[in-house]
Amino acid sequence: MPRPDQTTRTEGRARIAALKKTRDKIHSDAEKAKTDADAEMWSAIAELIRTGQVLQADAAVETGFTRDHVLKQTKRYSSGG
């Protein structure tokens, strides 16, 4: 296969840069969505625990995380700080 000329390479590189930019934006949006979902879930769980509707152990069982992880995340995302 013959090597592309400089103009073809420049156009190709511009297309690659555009593809990378699109990919990076999608990845960034996905990370933001994950962060937002975590905040929503842990805030709601913190409120359920705070109001006495569930125990920390219940949250651990239902989420599959350890009680220590539940404690850390509910503290992190609780509206009380």
Side-chain angles (χ1 to χ4, degrees):
M1 177 179 261
R3 292 181 55 90
D5 63 32
Q6 192 57 45
T7 300
T8 302
R9 286 183 64 203
T10 300
E11 290 169 358
R13 289 180 66 160
R15 288 192 61 209
I16 291 170
L19 291 165
K20 174 79 167 54
K21 184 176 179 180
T22 299
R23 174 209 175 260
D24 290 349
K25 171 91 169 78
I26 291 168
H27 279 225
S28 176
D29 291 348
E31 285 301 316
K32 183 180 180 324
K34 287 169 52 178
T35 299
D36 291 349
D38 281 351
E40 185 175 332
M41 181 184 84
W42 289 116
S43 295
I45 291 172
E47 184 65 10
L48 290 169
I49 293 170
R50 187 189 70 74
T51 59
Q53 297 178 56
V54 298
L55 299 174
Q56 186 183 74
D58 298 327
V61 167
E62 293 304 319
T63 61
F65 294 113
T66 65
R67 285 182 63 190
D68 184 57
H69 186 75
V70 170
L71 175 63
K72 287 177 183 174
Q73 294 305 310
T74 54
K75 278 186 176 183
R76 177 180 179 190
Y77 291 102
S78 80
S79 56

Coordinates of all heavy atoms in Angstrom, one line a residue:
M1 N 0.9 -1.2 0.0 CA 0.0 0.0 0.0 C 0.9 1.2 0.0 O 1.8 1.4 0.8 CB -0.9 0.0 1.2 CG -1.8 1.2 1.4 SD -2.8 1.1 2.8 CE -4.3 0.6 2.0
P2 N 0.6 2.2 -0.9 CA 1.5 3.4 -0.9 C 1.2 4.3 0.3 O 0.1 4.3 0.8 CB 1.0 4.1 -2.2 CG -0.4 3.5 -2.5 CD -0.4 2.2 -1.9
R3 N 2.2 5.0 0.6 CA 2.1 6.0 1.8 C 1.3 7.2 1.3 O 1.4 7.6 0.2 CB 3.5 6.4 2.2 CG 4.3 5.3 2.8 CD 5.7 5.8 3.2 NE 5.7 7.0 4.1 CZ 5.7 6.9 5.5 NH1 5.7 5.8 6.1 NH2 5.7 8.0 6.2
P4 N 0.4 7.7 2.3 CA -0.4 8.8 1.9 C 0.5 10.1 1.8 O 1.5 10.2 2.5 CB -1.3 8.9 3.1 CG -0.6 8.2 4.2 CD 0.2 7.2 3.6
D5 N 0.0 11.0 1.0 CA 0.7 12.2 0.8 C 0.4 13.1 2.1 O -0.4 12.8 2.9 CB 0.4 13.0 -0.5 CG -1.1 13.4 -0.6 OD1 -1.7 13.6 0.5 OD2 -1.6 13.4 -1.7
Q6 N 1.1 14.2 2.2 CA 1.0 15.1 3.4 C -0.4 15.6 3.6 O -0.9 15.7 4.7 CB 2.0 16.2 3.3 CG 2.2 17.0 4.6 CD 2.6 16.1 5.8 OE1 3.5 15.2 5.6 NE2 2.0 16.2 6.9
T7 N -1.0 16.0 2.5 CA -2.4 16.5 2.6 C -3.4 15.5 3.2 O -4.2 15.7 4.1 CB -2.9 17.1 1.3 OG1 -2.0 18.1 0.8 CG2 -4.3 17.6 1.3
T8 N -3.3 14.3 2.6 CA -4.1 13.2 3.1 C -3.8 12.9 4.5 O -4.8 12.7 5.3 CB -3.9 11.9 2.2 OG1 -4.1 12.3 0.8 CG2 -4.8 10.8 2.6
R9 N -2.6 12.8 4.9 CA -2.2 12.6 6.3 C -2.8 13.7 7.2 O -3.3 13.4 8.3 CB -0.7 12.5 6.5 CG -0.1 11.2 5.9 CD 1.3 11.1 6.1 NE 1.6 11.0 7.6 CZ 2.8 11.4 8.1 NH1 3.8 11.8 7.3 NH2 3.0 11.3 9.4
T10 N -2.7 14.9 6.8 CA -3.2 16.0 7.6 C -4.7 15.9 7.8 O -5.2 16.1 8.9 CB -2.8 17.4 7.0 OG1 -1.4 17.5 6.9 CG2 -3.3 18.5 7.8
E11 N -5.4 15.6 6.8 CA -6.8 15.4 6.9 C -7.2 14.2 7.8 O -8.1 14.3 8.6 CB -7.4 15.2 5.5 CG -7.4 16.5 4.6 CD -7.7 16.2 3.2 OE1 -8.0 15.1 2.8 OE2 -7.8 17.2 2.4
G12 N -6.4 13.2 7.6 CA -6.6 12.0 8.4 C -6.4 12.2 9.9 O -7.2 11.8 10.8
R13 N -5.3 13.0 10.2 CA -5.0 13.3 11.6 C -6.1 14.2 12.2 O -6.4 14.1 13.3 CB -3.7 14.0 11.6 CG -2.5 13.0 11.4 CD -1.2 13.6 11.5 NE -0.9 14.1 12.9 CZ 0.2 14.3 13.4 NH1 1.3 14.2 12.6 NH2 0.4 14.7 14.6
A14 N -6.6 15.1 11.3 CA -7.7 16.0 11.8 C -9.0 15.2 12.2 O -9.6 15.4 13.2 CB -8.1 17.0 10.8
R15 N -9.2 14.2 11.4 CA -10.4 13.3 11.7 C -10.1 12.5 13.0 O -11.1 12.3 13.8 CB -10.6 12.3 10.5 CG -11.2 13.0 9.3 CD -11.7 12.0 8.2 NE -12.8 11.2 8.8 CZ -13.1 9.9 8.4 NH1 -12.4 9.4 7.4 NH2 -14.0 9.3 9.0
I16 N -8.9 12.0 13.1 CA -8.6 11.3 14.4 C -8.7 12.2 15.6 O -9.3 11.8 16.6 CB -7.2 10.7 14.3 CG1 -7.1 9.6 13.3 CG2 -6.7 10.2 15.7 CD1 -5.7 9.1 13.0
A17 N -8.3 13.4 15.5 CA -8.4 14.4 16.6 C -9.9 14.6 16.9 O -10.3 14.7 18.1 CB -7.7 15.7 16.2
A18 N -10.7 14.8 15.9 CA -12.2 15.0 16.1 C -12.8 13.7 16.8 O -13.6 13.9 17.7 CB -12.9 15.3 14.8
L19 N -12.4 12.5 16.3 CA -12.9 11.3 16.9 C -12.5 11.2 18.4 O -13.3 10.9 19.3 CB -12.4 10.1 16.2 CG -13.0 9.9 14.8 CD1 -12.1 8.9 14.0 CD2 -14.4 9.5 14.8
K20 N -11.3 11.6 18.7 CA -10.8 11.5 20.1 C -11.5 12.5 20.9 O -11.9 12.3 22.1 CB -9.3 11.9 20.1 CG -8.7 12.0 21.4 CD -8.4 10.7 22.1 CE -7.5 10.7 23.3 NZ -7.8 11.6 24.4
K21 N -11.8 13.7 20.4 CA -12.5 14.8 21.1 C -13.9 14.3 21.5 O -14.4 14.4 22.6 CB -12.6 16.0 20.3 CG -13.2 17.2 21.0 CD -13.2 18.5 20.2 CE -13.9 19.6 20.9 NZ -13.8 20.8 20.1
T22 N -14.6 13.6 20.5 CA -15.9 13.1 20.7 C -15.9 12.0 21.8 O -16.7 12.0 22.7 CB -16.5 12.5 19.4 OG1 -16.6 13.6 18.4 CG2 -17.9 11.9 19.6
R23 N -14.9 11.1 21.7 CA -14.8 10.0 22.7 C -14.6 10.6 24.1 O -15.2 10.2 25.0 CB -13.6 9.1 22.3 CG -13.3 8.1 23.3 CD -11.8 7.7 23.2 NE -11.4 6.8 24.3 CZ -10.8 7.2 25.4 NH1 -10.6 8.4 25.6 NH2 -10.5 6.3 26.3
D24 N -13.7 11.6 24.2 CA -13.4 12.2 25.5 C -14.6 12.8 26.1 O -14.9 12.7 27.3 CB -12.2 13.2 25.4 CG -10.9 12.5 25.1 OD1 -10.8 11.3 25.2 OD2 -9.9 13.2 24.8
K25 N -15.4 13.5 25.3 CA -16.6 14.1 25.7 C -17.6 13.1 26.3 O -18.2 13.2 27.3 CB -17.3 14.9 24.6 CG -18.7 15.5 24.9 CD -18.6 16.9 25.5 CE -19.9 17.5 25.6 NZ -20.8 17.1 26.7
I26 N -17.8 12.0 25.5 CA -18.7 10.9 25.9 C -18.2 10.3 27.2 O -19.0 10.1 28.2 CB -18.8 9.8 24.8 CG1 -19.6 10.4 23.6 CG2 -19.5 8.6 25.3 CD1 -19.5 9.6 22.4
H27 N -16.9 10.1 27.4 CA -16.4 9.5 28.6 C -16.6 10.5 29.8 O -17.0 10.1 30.9 CB -14.9 9.2 28.5 CG -14.6 7.9 27.8 ND1 -13.7 7.0 28.2 CD2 -15.1 7.3 26.7 CE1 -13.6 6.0 27.4 NE2 -14.5 6.2 26.5
S28 N -16.4 11.8 29.5 CA -16.6 12.8 30.6 C -18.0 12.8 31.0 O -18.3 12.9 32.2 CB -16.1 14.1 30.1 OG -16.4 15.1 31.0
D29 N -18.9 12.8 30.1 CA -20.4 12.8 30.4 C -20.8 11.5 31.2 O -21.6 11.6 32.1 CB -21.2 12.9 29.1 CG -21.1 14.2 28.4 OD1 -20.6 15.2 29.0 OD2 -21.6 14.3 27.2
A30 N -20.2 10.4 30.8 CA -20.5 9.1 31.5 C -20.0 9.2 33.0 O -20.7 8.8 33.9 CB -19.9 7.9 30.8
E31 N -18.8 9.8 33.2 CA -18.3 9.9 34.5 C -19.1 10.8 35.3 O -19.4 10.6 36.5 CB -16.8 10.4 34.5 CG -15.8 9.3 34.1 CD -15.8 8.1 35.0 OE1 -15.9 8.3 36.2 OE2 -15.8 7.0 34.5
K32 N -19.6 11.9 34.7 CA -20.5 12.8 35.5 C -21.8 12.2 35.8 O -22.3 12.3 36.9 CB -20.7 14.1 34.6 CG -21.6 15.1 35.4 CD -21.9 16.3 34.6 CE -22.7 17.4 35.3 NZ -23.7 16.9 36.2
A33 N -22.3 11.4 34.9 CA -23.6 10.6 35.2 C -23.4 9.7 36.3 O -24.2 9.5 37.2 CB -24.1 9.9 33.9
K34 N -22.2 9.0 36.4 CA -21.9 8.0 37.5 C -21.8 8.8 38.8 O -22.3 8.3 39.8 CB -20.7 7.3 37.2 CG -20.8 6.2 36.1 CD -19.5 5.6 35.6 CE -18.6 5.1 36.7 NZ -17.4 4.5 36.1
T35 N -21.1 9.9 38.8 CA -21.0 10.7 40.0 C -22.3 11.2 40.5 O -22.6 11.1 41.7 CB -20.0 11.9 39.7 OG1 -18.7 11.3 39.3 CG2 -19.8 12.8 40.9
D36 N -23.1 11.7 39.6 CA -24.5 12.2 40.0 C -25.3 11.0 40.5 O -26.0 11.2 41.5 CB -25.2 12.8 38.8 CG -24.5 14.1 38.3 OD1 -23.7 14.7 39.1 OD2 -24.9 14.6 37.2
A37 N -25.2 9.8 39.9 CA -26.0 8.7 40.4 C -25.6 8.3 41.8 O -26.4 8.0 42.6 CB -25.9 7.5 39.4
D38 N -24.3 8.3 42.0 CA -23.7 7.9 43.3 C -24.3 8.9 44.4 O -24.7 8.5 45.5 CB -22.2 8.0 43.4 CG -21.6 6.7 42.8 OD1 -22.3 5.7 42.5 OD2 -20.4 6.7 42.6
A39 N -24.2 10.2 44.1 CA -24.6 11.2 45.0 C -26.1 11.1 45.3 O -26.5 11.2 46.5 CB -24.3 12.6 44.4
E40 N -26.9 10.8 44.3 CA -28.3 10.7 44.5 C -28.6 9.4 45.4 O -29.4 9.5 46.4 CB -29.0 10.5 43.2 CG -30.6 10.5 43.3 CD -31.2 10.4 41.9 OE1 -30.7 11.0 40.9 OE2 -32.3 9.9 41.9
M41 N -28.0 8.3 45.1 CA -28.2 7.1 45.8 C -27.8 7.2 47.3 O -28.5 6.9 48.2 CB -27.5 5.9 45.2 CG -27.8 4.6 46.0 SD -26.9 3.2 45.3 CE -25.3 3.3 46.1
W42 N -26.5 7.7 47.5 CA -26.0 7.7 48.8 C -26.7 8.8 49.7 O -26.9 8.6 50.9 CB -24.5 7.9 48.8 CG -23.8 6.7 48.4 CD1 -23.0 6.6 47.2 CD2 -23.8 5.4 49.0 NE1 -22.5 5.3 47.1 CE2 -23.0 4.5 48.2 CE3 -24.3 4.9 50.1 CZ2 -22.7 3.2 48.5 CZ3 -24.1 3.5 50.4 CH2 -23.3 2.7 49.6
S43 N -27.1 9.9 49.1 CA -27.9 10.9 49.8 C -29.2 10.3 50.3 O -29.6 10.5 51.4 CB -28.2 12.1 49.0 OG -27.0 12.8 48.6
A44 N -29.9 9.6 49.4 CA -31.2 9.0 49.8 C -31.0 7.9 50.8 O -31.8 7.8 51.8 CB -31.9 8.4 48.5
I45 N -30.0 7.1 50.7 CA -29.7 6.1 51.7 C -29.4 6.7 53.1 O -29.9 6.3 54.1 CB -28.6 5.1 51.3 CG1 -29.0 4.2 50.1 CG2 -28.1 4.2 52.4 CD1 -28.0 3.4 49.5
A46 N -28.6 7.8 53.1 CA -28.3 8.5 54.3 C -29.5 9.0 55.0 O -29.7 8.9 56.2 CB -27.3 9.6 54.0
E47 N -30.4 9.5 54.2 CA -31.7 10.0 54.7 C -32.5 8.9 55.3 O -33.1 9.0 56.4 CB -32.5 10.8 53.7 CG -33.7 11.4 54.2 CD -33.5 12.6 55.2 OE1 -32.3 13.0 55.4 OE2 -34.5 13.0 55.8
L48 N -32.6 7.7 54.6 CA -33.3 6.6 55.2 C -32.7 6.1 56.5 O -33.5 5.8 57.4 CB -33.3 5.4 54.1 CG -34.1 5.7 52.9 CD1 -33.8 4.6 51.8 CD2 -35.6 5.7 53.2
I49 N -31.4 6.1 56.6 CA -30.8 5.7 57.8 C -31.0 6.8 58.9 O -31.4 6.4 60.0 CB -29.3 5.4 57.6 CG1 -29.1 4.2 56.7 CG2 -28.6 5.3 59.0 CD1 -27.6 4.0 56.3
R50 N -30.9 8.0 58.6 CA -31.0 9.1 59.5 C -32.4 9.1 60.1 O -32.6 9.4 61.3 CB -30.7 10.5 58.8 CG -30.7 11.6 59.8 CD -30.6 13.0 59.1 NE -31.9 13.3 58.4 CZ -33.0 13.7 59.0 NH1 -33.1 13.8 60.3 NH2 -34.0 14.0 58.2
T51 N -33.4 8.9 59.3 CA -34.8 8.9 59.8 C -35.3 7.6 60.4 O -36.4 7.5 60.8 CB -35.8 9.3 58.6 OG1 -35.6 8.4 57.5 CG2 -35.5 10.7 58.1
G52 N -34.4 6.7 60.5 CA -34.7 5.4 61.2 C -35.6 4.4 60.4 O -36.1 3.5 60.9
Q53 N -35.6 4.6 59.1 CA -36.4 3.7 58.2 C -35.7 2.4 57.9 O -36.3 1.4 57.7 CB -36.8 4.4 56.9 CG -37.7 5.6 57.2 CD -38.1 6.3 55.9 OE1 -38.6 5.7 55.0 NE2 -37.8 7.6 55.8
V54 N -34.4 2.5 58.0 CA -33.5 1.3 57.7 C -32.3 1.4 58.6 O -32.0 2.5 59.1 CB -33.1 1.2 56.3 CG1 -34.2 1.0 55.3 CG2 -32.2 2.3 55.8
L55 N -31.6 0.3 58.8 CA -30.3 0.2 59.5 C -29.2 0.3 58.5 O -29.4 -0.1 57.3 CB -30.2 -1.0 60.3 CG -31.3 -1.2 61.4 CD1 -31.1 -2.6 62.0 CD2 -31.2 -0.2 62.4
Q56 N -28.1 0.7 58.9 CA -26.9 0.6 58.1 C -26.6 -0.8 57.5 O -26.3 -0.9 56.4 CB -25.7 1.1 58.9 CG -24.4 1.2 58.1 CD -23.3 1.6 59.0 OE1 -22.8 0.7 59.8 NE2 -22.9 2.9 59.0
A57 N -26.9 -1.8 58.3 CA -26.8 -3.2 57.9 C -27.7 -3.5 56.7 O -27.3 -4.2 55.8 CB -27.0 -4.1 59.1
D58 N -28.9 -2.9 56.8 CA -29.8 -3.1 55.7 C -29.3 -2.6 54.4 O -29.4 -3.2 53.3 CB -31.2 -2.5 55.9 CG -31.9 -3.0 57.2 OD1 -31.7 -4.2 57.5 OD2 -32.6 -2.2 57.9
A59 N -28.7 -1.4 54.5 CA -28.1 -0.7 53.3 C -27.0 -1.6 52.8 O -26.8 -1.7 51.5 CB -27.7 0.7 53.6
A60 N -26.2 -2.1 53.7 CA -25.0 -3.0 53.3 C -25.5 -4.2 52.5 O -25.0 -4.6 51.4 CB -24.2 -3.4 54.5
V61 N -26.5 -4.8 53.0 CA -27.1 -6.0 52.4 C -27.6 -5.7 51.0 O -27.3 -6.4 50.0 CB -28.2 -6.7 53.2 CG1 -28.9 -7.8 52.5 CG2 -27.6 -7.3 54.5
E62 N -28.4 -4.7 50.9 CA -29.1 -4.3 49.6 C -28.2 -3.8 48.6 O -28.4 -4.0 47.4 CB -30.2 -3.4 49.9 CG -31.4 -3.9 50.7 CD -32.0 -5.2 50.0 OE1 -32.1 -5.3 48.8 OE2 -32.2 -6.2 50.8
T63 N -27.1 -3.1 49.0 CA -26.1 -2.6 48.0 C -25.0 -3.5 47.7 O -24.3 -3.4 46.7 CB -25.5 -1.3 48.5 OG1 -24.8 -1.5 49.7 CG2 -26.6 -0.2 48.7
G64 N -24.7 -4.5 48.6 CA -23.6 -5.4 48.4 C -22.3 -4.8 48.8 O -21.2 -5.4 48.6
F65 N -22.3 -3.6 49.5 CA -21.1 -3.0 50.0 C -21.0 -3.4 51.5 O -21.9 -3.7 52.1 CB -21.2 -1.5 49.8 CG -21.1 -1.1 48.4 CD1 -22.3 -0.4 47.8 CD2 -20.0 -1.2 47.6 CE1 -22.2 0.0 46.5 CE2 -20.0 -0.8 46.3 CZ -21.1 -0.2 45.7
T66 N -19.8 -3.2 52.0 CA -19.6 -3.4 53.4 C -20.2 -2.3 54.2 O -20.5 -1.2 53.7 CB -18.1 -3.4 53.8 OG1 -17.5 -2.1 53.5 CG2 -17.3 -4.5 53.0
R67 N -20.5 -2.6 55.5 CA -21.0 -1.6 56.4 C -20.1 -0.4 56.5 O -20.6 0.8 56.5 CB -21.3 -2.1 57.8 CG -22.6 -3.0 57.7 CD -22.9 -3.6 59.1 NE -23.2 -2.5 60.0 CZ -23.4 -2.6 61.3 NH1 -23.2 -3.8 61.9 NH2 -23.7 -1.6 62.0
D68 N -18.8 -0.6 56.5 CA -17.8 0.5 56.5 C -18.0 1.4 55.3 O -17.9 2.6 55.4 CB -16.4 -0.1 56.6 CG -15.4 1.0 56.8 OD1 -15.5 1.8 57.8 OD2 -14.4 1.1 56.0
H69 N -18.1 0.8 54.1 CA -18.3 1.5 52.9 C -19.6 2.3 52.9 O -19.6 3.5 52.6 CB -18.2 0.6 51.7 CG -18.2 1.4 50.4 ND1 -17.1 2.0 49.9 CD2 -19.2 1.6 49.5 CE1 -17.4 2.6 48.7 NE2 -18.7 2.3 48.5
V70 N -20.6 1.7 53.4 CA -21.9 2.4 53.5 C -21.7 3.6 54.5 O -22.2 4.7 54.1 CB -23.0 1.4 54.0 CG1 -24.3 2.2 54.4 CG2 -23.3 0.4 53.0
L71 N -21.1 3.4 55.6 CA -20.9 4.5 56.5 C -20.1 5.7 55.9 O -20.5 6.8 56.0 CB -20.1 4.0 57.8 CG -19.8 5.1 58.8 CD1 -21.0 5.7 59.4 CD2 -18.9 4.5 59.9
K72 N -19.0 5.3 55.2 CA -18.2 6.4 54.6 C -19.0 7.1 53.5 O -18.9 8.4 53.5 CB -16.9 5.8 54.0 CG -15.9 5.3 55.0 CD -14.7 4.7 54.4 CE -13.7 4.2 55.4 NZ -12.7 3.4 54.8
Q73 N -19.7 6.4 52.7 CA -20.4 7.1 51.6 C -21.6 7.9 52.1 O -21.9 9.0 51.6 CB -20.9 6.0 50.6 CG -19.8 5.3 49.8 CD -18.8 6.3 49.2 OE1 -19.2 7.2 48.5 NE2 -17.5 6.2 49.4
T74 N -22.3 7.3 53.1 CA -23.5 8.1 53.6 C -23.0 9.4 54.4 O -23.7 10.4 54.3 CB -24.4 7.2 54.5 OG1 -23.6 6.6 55.5 CG2 -25.1 6.2 53.7
K75 N -21.9 9.3 55.0 CA -21.3 10.5 55.6 C -20.9 11.5 54.6 O -21.1 12.7 54.7 CB -20.1 10.2 56.5 CG -20.4 9.7 57.9 CD -19.1 9.5 58.7 CE -19.5 9.1 60.1 NZ -18.3 9.0 60.9
R76 N -20.3 11.0 53.5 CA -19.8 11.8 52.4 C -20.9 12.6 51.8 O -20.8 13.8 51.4 CB -19.0 11.0 51.4 CG -18.6 11.7 50.2 CD -17.8 10.8 49.3 NE -17.4 11.5 48.1 CZ -16.9 10.9 47.1 NH1 -16.7 9.6 47.0 NH2 -16.5 11.7 46.0
Y77 N -22.1 11.9 51.5 CA -23.2 12.4 50.8 C -24.3 12.9 51.6 O -25.3 13.4 51.0 CB -23.6 11.4 49.7 CG -22.6 11.2 48.6 CD1 -21.9 10.1 48.6 CD2 -22.5 12.1 47.6 CE1 -20.9 9.8 47.6 CE2 -21.6 11.9 46.6 CZ -20.8 10.8 46.6 OH -19.9 10.5 45.6
S78 N -24.3 12.8 52.9 CA -25.4 13.2 53.7 C -25.6 14.7 53.6 O -24.6 15.5 53.5 CB -25.3 12.8 55.2 OG -24.4 13.6 55.9
S79 N -26.8 15.2 53.7 CA -27.1 16.6 53.6 C -26.6 17.3 54.9 O -26.4 18.5 54.8 CB -28.6 16.9 53.4 OG -29.3 16.2 54.5
G80 N -26.4 16.6 55.9 CA -25.8 17.2 57.1 C -24.3 17.4 57.1 O -23.8 17.9 58.1
G81 N -23.7 17.0 56.0 CA -22.2 17.2 55.9 C -21.5 16.0 56.0 O -20.9 15.3 56.5

